[in-house]
Amino acid sequence: EGTGSADSGSAHVFVRSTDGGDVTWTYQAKLVDPDGNSGDRFANQLSIFGDTIVVGARGDDADNGSGVDHGSVQVFVRNEDDGGKWDFSAKILAPDGNDGDGFGNSVDLYENTVVIGSRWDDDGGKDSGSAHVFVRDGDDWMHRAKLLAYEGGEGDEDFFGYSVGIYEETIVVSSMSG
């Protein structure tokens, strides 16, 4: 999907309407990565809060073309002034992204804060993993924290950041091993 390349991906938006007791889900939009390429895996994970959708692309390569599978997250915002059209707003990258990190393998959004998993990050050992916290400031997304396993990600292949969640002031991050 996406730009037509293999594994580029897409996300499809439906909106609910009610008429009396009848509920209808109507197709609204197809979201694609504006610079998507084969293997980006756009929409492998996504989250919505209000008029904002964040979409992971864990296979996205580095912007300069020199990296492989750094990963990214695309942000789309609903434009009510344009009939509810979903507009591309931002591309979020890990500030310390490296080949194979898979940034964007998991995402969750609450209000103006997004948590992004990078389960193959090697900071605490091979594929120990991490999660990043970004906060929206106007149209910009500011990096606020990099989270590592409480034990410091001491073991290889912990895959910390496999799944992430956020609600109010609490973030939860899963790990595939102890």
Side-chain angles (χ1 to χ4, degrees), residues 3-143:
T3 59
S5 301
D7 294 327
S8 57
S10 63
H12 302 265
V13 182
F14 294 81
V15 294
R16 182 181 64 189
S17 60
T18 57
D19 183 13
D22 296 330
V23 175
T24 304
W25 288 93
T26 305
Y27 185 81
Q28 187 178 46
K30 178 180 179 179
L31 308 179
V32 296
D33 187 344
D35 64 352
N37 292 299
S38 178
D40 282 355
R41 303 222 187 296
F42 177 81
N44 65 280
Q45 288 287 311
L46 46 87
S47 182
I48 183 172
F49 189 91
D51 290 331
T52 304
I53 296 174
V54 292
V55 183
R58 66 178 169 90
D60 192 2
D61 297 334
D63 278 347
N64 63 11
S66 66
V68 177
D69 295 343
H70 283 224
S72 66
V73 170
Q74 304 348 299
V75 181
F76 296 84
V77 177
R78 185 177 5 223
N79 183 345
E80 292 297 343
D81 294 334
D82 191 11
K85 180 180 173 220
W86 289 90
D87 294 328
F88 174 77
S89 174
K91 181 174 184 174
I92 302 173
L93 301 171
D96 61 349
N98 290 301
D99 286 357
D101 281 355
F103 179 81
N105 75 263
S106 58
V107 297
D108 198 20
L109 176 66
Y110 181 77
E111 294 180 344
N112 290 310
T113 303
V114 63
V115 181
I116 302 169
S118 184
R119 72 179 180 186
W120 296 288
D121 187 343
D122 295 330
D123 281 7
K126 181 182 180 317
D127 297 335
S128 56
S130 66
H132 294 262
V133 181
F134 290 81
V135 175
R136 179 171 29 202
D137 182 9
D139 290 334
D140 297 322
W141 290 86
M142 311 303 293
H143 188 260

